[in-house]
Amino acid sequence: MVRSFAEGIISGIMIGGVYSLVALGIVVVFKSTKVITFTQGGILLMGAIIGWAFIGPAGLPVGLGVILTLAACALLGMCLDRFTLRPIIGQPILASIMVTIALAWLFDSVGTLIIGGGERPYPPLLPQGTYRWGWVNISQSLFLQFIIAIIMFIAFTLFYKYSRLGLAMRGTAEDHEVVQSLGIKVTNIFNYSWIIAALSGGLSGILLASTLGATVGLSGIGLKALIVVLLGGMESIPGVILMGPMIGVLENLSIQFLDPLVGGGLGEVVPYGVMLIVLLVKPYGLFGLKRIERI
């Protein structure tokens, strides 16, 4: 019992690290554009399918396939901003949100058209063995996915804090008019934000599909990432880093210990229940900032 509990917590933390990586894209887009995107799950699905096409049927080496997949995802993010969201700048924010919902449905439909309703197995990208730490067994693939997610977060943090583009994105997140007065083109920052979101979604899609296979159901991870964002705070990157593992642990322990008691399905419900309770108490999320506007 204790061993199963410990393994469930550790595995949940590692799965949650990937959830945080997916959620990073949602936060970056919101900080720059103030648009809550529902497209991240669809981008994740496209990353998984493109990676499968390059590494599987096309037979490309794994490294080259991953690089080309990320390049394709970056191009996808650029096109999403340029051709679907930029034309409606200045319209009510609800219009932009509805466009992201429509895009999410479009990507689900395209995914179904390409791979059908089944699962397309991935070539082994990560080791499929098990690490044994004392009396606890941990999947090698989960552990390496978690390490990759940590590396990506460190790289993004350094980029966001110290690079010229990162500083411009931070300024845009605070005030569009101020950065425009400094000669920074806000629409370019929007474009870069969508590229970063697409890269985080595409990489997450490759990582998850390497263990789960390429399946249309992967797009549902986008909703779990949205839970992470709402719990952590829409503008809080540290919030999503912390909340991803928490949601992963809750989900994993619910599946492991509660699902057998009710016949299954509770693992999918618990994260949403926790989100509802937290938002009733902290509407801006656990780490979100309440903006006060004075007249």
Side-chain angles (χ1 to χ4, degrees):
M1 179 71 174
V2 175
R3 175 180 172 180
S4 297
F5 186 76
E7 289 179 349
I9 290 178
I10 295 173
S11 298
I13 290 173
M14 293 177 181
I15 294 170
V18 182
Y19 291 171
S20 293
L21 185 59
V22 182
L24 175 65
I26 300 175
V27 172
V28 169
V29 168
F30 182 80
K31 284 172 74 70
S32 295
T33 67
K34 301 300 181 263
V35 173
I36 302 174
T37 172
F38 289 83
T39 315
Q40 196 69 352
I43 295 173
L44 183 152
L45 174 61
M46 289 297 102
I49 292 175
I50 294 170
W52 164 78
F54 281 143
I55 301 170
L60 296 179
V62 171
L64 179 60
V66 170
I67 291 172
L68 290 177
T69 300
L70 294 180
C73 288
L75 179 62
L76 175 62
M78 188 185 304
C79 292
L80 288 178
D81 171 66
R82 182 64 185 85
F83 299 112
T84 62
L85 291 160
R86 192 173 299 183
I88 58 174
I89 288 178
Q91 299 299 318
I93 203 69
L94 181 61
S96 299
I97 295 174
M98 295 305 295
V99 166
T100 67
I101 294 174
L103 287 169
W105 290 341
L106 174 64
F107 289 143
D108 271 6
S109 301
V110 170
T112 303
L113 179 66
I114 295 174
I115 62 175
E119 174 188 323
R120 298 299 175 95
Y122 249 59
L125 305 183
L126 299 173
Q128 301 299 310
T130 301
Y131 291 121
R132 185 171 181 85
W133 297 339
W135 40 271
V136 177
N137 296 320
I138 300 298
S139 165
Q140 290 181 355
S141 60
L142 280 182
F143 177 74
L144 292 175
Q145 286 178 21
F146 183 67
I147 295 300
I148 292 170
I150 290 176
I151 292 172
M152 295 307 299
F153 272 114
I154 293 173
F156 176 78
T157 301
L158 294 175
F159 161 80
Y160 208 55
K161 281 190 173 183
Y162 301 112
S163 73
R164 187 172 182 178
L165 177 57
L167 293 173
M169 292 177 68
R170 290 172 66 185
T172 304
E174 291 299 323
D175 195 305
H176 292 176
E177 293 181 359
V178 170
V179 296
Q180 281 181 321
S181 69
L182 296 174
I184 297 172
K185 195 171 182 180
V186 172
T187 51
N188 286 347
I189 301 300
F190 291 174
N191 197 249
Y192 289 127
S193 299
W194 275 99
I195 290 173
I196 291 173
L199 288 173
S200 73
L203 179 59
S204 302
I206 295 171
L207 294 176
L208 290 168
S210 67
T211 54
L212 303 176
T215 170
V216 177
L218 287 174
S219 63
I221 304 295
L223 290 178
K224 294 179 182 177
L226 189 59
I227 295 175
V228 171
V229 173
L230 292 174
L231 285 174
M234 288 301 303
E235 297 184 348
S236 176
I237 292 174
V240 301
I241 294 175
L242 293 174
M243 289 299 105
M246 190 197 82
I247 291 299
V249 169
L250 284 173
E251 182 183 45
N252 220 27
L253 293 181
S254 299
I255 292 172
Q256 195 168 351
F257 294 105
L258 299 181
D259 273 6
L261 301 177
V262 298
L266 198 57
E268 294 292 325
V269 175
V270 168
Y272 292 95
V274 171
M275 177 189 70
L276 177 61
I277 293 170
V278 170
L279 291 182
L280 288 174
V281 179
K282 297 271 291 183
Y284 291 88
L286 295 176
F287 300 92
L289 297 177
K290 183 177 181 180
R291 292 186 178 269
I292 300 175
E293 297 185 7
R294 301 185 185 278
I295 300 176

